[in-house]
Amino acid sequence: IVMATGTGKTRTAMSLIDGLMRANWVKRVLFLVDRVELQNQAEEDGFKEHLPDLSIVKVSSATKKDKDARVYLATYNAMMNAYSQFNIGFFDLIVADESHRTIYKYYREIFQYFDAFQIGLTATPVDYVTRNTYRFFECEDRDPTFYFSLTEAIEHKPPYLVNYEVDNKTSQFLQSGIRYDDLTEEQRAQLEEQDEDAQSFDYSRDEVDS
């Protein structure tokens, strides 16, 4: 599912989960995110707001005791350390939030292990040879199951874009540019996840800003 930022990916996921549960197609859901902040956001702004009757467990690397909840919230990293504690048919649905970021290499094992429906949510799918969002979720290249663009959101009557607030921020990259050789190991790993040609990055501040 490809939807522009601010158009309601989380709300759409809640609707899908609700419909599948009402139809008795899904009993237990694994909702995956790549940061703890997004895990908390999914719990508060997603499940507690729209599906408050569902029992929720936050999965950590040490979690293995609670097997009676309907929804399991986890970061990819935590689930990578815990997935073997669940049998392969434990979850009926896996929802991958921000599925363009970290699912193509190390965390792919999670998706291969479980026998479940899989839904990927993203605003920025990729179609590189080594990581392809469409193929990962068994769609034709550049043809997601559902697509809702920023232009559609703005032009729709009534508009469906969530109101935004402008917040001025800066970063080291904006101030100094970005050069692969000057990055930390962690920053290099993140850049390599996002761009196949990461080692060629050598941009001045003016080039980044333009």
Side-chain angles (χ1 to χ4, degrees), residues 10 14 31 34 37 52 56 69 111 113 158 163 179 183 190 198:
T10 301
M14 297 302 110
F31 197 97
D34 60 0
E37 293 85 351
I56 299 174
F111 298 87
Y113 177 80
N163 293 331
R179 187 168 182 267
L183 301 177
Q190 291 176 348

Side-chain angles (χ1 to χ4, degrees), residues 8-182:
K9 289 190 294 296
T10 301
R11 179 65 182 88
T12 299
M14 297 302 110
S15 296
L16 285 169
I17 291 168
D18 186 39
L20 289 169
M21 285 187 168
R22 289 175 183 269
N24 293 319
W25 279 35
V26 164
K27 180 181 179 181
R28 287 186 290 259
V29 176
L30 173 60
F31 197 97
L32 293 168
V33 298
D34 60 0
R35 301 193 306 278
V36 172
E37 293 85 351
L38 293 177
Q39 185 183 42
N40 296 334
Q41 179 180 316
E43 180 180 24
E44 296 298 327
D45 299 336
F47 290 99
K48 286 187 176 180
E49 180 175 350
H50 300 292
L51 300 173
D53 295 332
L54 295 182
S55 51
I56 299 174
V57 165
K58 286 185 177 180
V59 177
S60 70
S61 58
T63 297
K64 61 180 179 180
K65 59 181 180 178
D66 194 332
K67 299 293 178 67
D68 298 321
R70 301 293 301 278
V71 175
Y72 293 74
L73 294 173
T75 62
Y76 291 108
N77 188 56
M79 199 63 201
M80 192 65 190
N81 293 322
Y83 76 84
S84 60
Q85 299 169 9
F86 301 88
N87 67 57
I88 62 174
F90 185 79
F91 297 108
D92 306 295
L93 173 67
I94 298 175
V95 179
D97 192 22
E98 300 298 347
S99 58
H100 60 287
R101 289 181 179 168
T102 50
I103 63 176
Y104 303 99
K105 295 180 181 178
Y106 183 65
Y107 301 132
R108 181 185 290 267
E109 290 183 25
I110 300 171
F111 298 87
Q112 294 175 329
Y113 177 80
F114 290 111
D115 180 14
F117 294 117
Q118 297 181 7
I119 297 174
L121 306 172
T122 184
T124 53
V126 295
D127 58 356
Y128 298 124
V129 172
T130 55
R131 58 187 196 281
N132 186 307
T133 312
Y134 306 101
R135 268 184 252 156
F136 193 96
F137 291 99
E138 300 183 5
C139 298
E140 295 291 330
D141 275 357
R142 297 181 178 273
D143 186 20
T145 305
F146 178 79
Y147 176 66
F148 190 65
S149 69
L150 180 62
T151 301
E152 289 179 280
I154 294 172
E155 294 180 350
H156 196 280
K157 304 297 182 183
Y160 285 140
L161 187 64
V162 173
N163 293 331
Y164 65 88
E165 296 180 2
V166 176
D167 190 8
N168 291 321
K169 297 285 187 180
T170 189
S171 69
Q172 176 187 345
F173 298 148
L174 290 176
Q175 292 177 327
S176 307
I178 176 172
R179 187 168 182 267
Y180 182 85
D181 291 341
D182 295 334

